[in-house]
Amino acid sequence: MIKLFIGIDVGINGAVAILDRYGDCLAYQTLPHRQHGKRKELDGDVLATWITSEVLMPTNTKPHECSVVVEESPPFNQGVVSAYTSGYNNGRLHERLLQLFHKRPIRISARKWQGVVYDFKLKREDDKKAISIEQAKARHGDMAGAFNVKRYADGISDALHIAEYCRLLEIEDTAQAENQ
């Protein structure tokens, strides 16, 4: 049985959020990075330590009792260096998640999780960041000011929604299995 649902919004301003099976947020954190020359690299060691010590151990959860979903986003409107760094960090993230959970995370596009989590259809001209933050606040409250830092607010809100997508996917899979 899956106990924890982990959603990850990738990128320099990305975040990770952990929900329990009832959809309550247990923990969240911006993705840790370290400076390497002129670029910022994902710090997989810090991320793995945080997930292990702040999430798995306190909740007495084994890695196989977690479901992990990572948003995949193409490097559009980026220069060569930014696209390289984005791809490099994404590879580091997937490598670390595989080491930690012993399985590959589910990869999902923003359009897919938005279509499941939101109870309305987004339009092309919609301010998707503002909508994501507004929807996360409505569902989870202010979360001790998690949405106050504009730079990270949409990463945290998207990570919460991605974890919720993961949770809803599990509920649907469980219902289908029970009906067979």
Side-chain angles (χ1 to χ4, degrees), residues 35-110:
Q35 197 69 35
H36 186 273
K38 293 183 179 183
R39 68 176 185 260
K40 288 188 174 187
E41 291 183 351
L42 178 73
D43 194 330
D45 293 337
V46 170
L47 180 62
T49 299
W50 178 79
I51 290 173
T52 302
S53 64
E54 301 296 323
V55 178
L56 298 179
M57 290 171 61
T59 60
N60 198 26
T61 303
K62 307 279 188 270
H64 70 274
E65 296 173 314
C66 298
S67 186
V68 183
V69 175
V70 175
E71 181 183 79
E72 295 293 321
S73 56
F76 54 88
N77 296 331
Q78 291 183 349
V80 173
V81 173
S82 293
Y84 171 81
T85 301
S86 178
Y88 180 78
N89 282 336
N90 202 11
R92 289 175 60 91
L93 174 66
H94 283 266
E95 174 188 40
R96 182 55 80 181
L97 293 172
L98 183 59
Q99 290 170 349
L100 186 60
F101 295 104
H102 311 291
K103 59 185 173 185
R104 295 185 191 282
I106 299 166
R107 297 181 345 219
I108 190 73
S109 70

Side-chain angles (χ1 to χ4, degrees), residues 125-175:
E125 65 274 6
D126 285 339
D127 183 348
K128 293 170 184 64
K129 290 181 180 188
I131 289 170
S132 178
I133 295 165
E134 179 183 305
Q135 292 289 310
K137 281 182 179 179
R139 171 76 170 97
H140 301 282
D142 187 45
M143 294 181 17
F147 307 110
N148 291 348
V149 180
K150 187 176 182 180
R151 178 177 179 177
Y152 299 111
D154 70 302
I156 294 168
S157 60
D158 282 359
L160 287 163
H161 297 314
I162 295 163
E164 177 64 9
Y165 168 85
C166 186
R167 189 181 79 82
L168 293 173
L169 194 65
E170 177 67 20
I171 290 169
E172 183 180 305
D173 288 350
T174 301

Side-chain angles (χ1 to χ4, degrees), residues 18-35:
I18 292 90
L19 302 181
D20 66 14
R21 63 178 147 228
Y22 306 106
D24 295 326
C25 181
L26 301 179
Y28 68 91
Q29 177 177 305
T30 57
L31 288 179
H33 290 86
R34 63 175 172 231
Q35 197 69 35

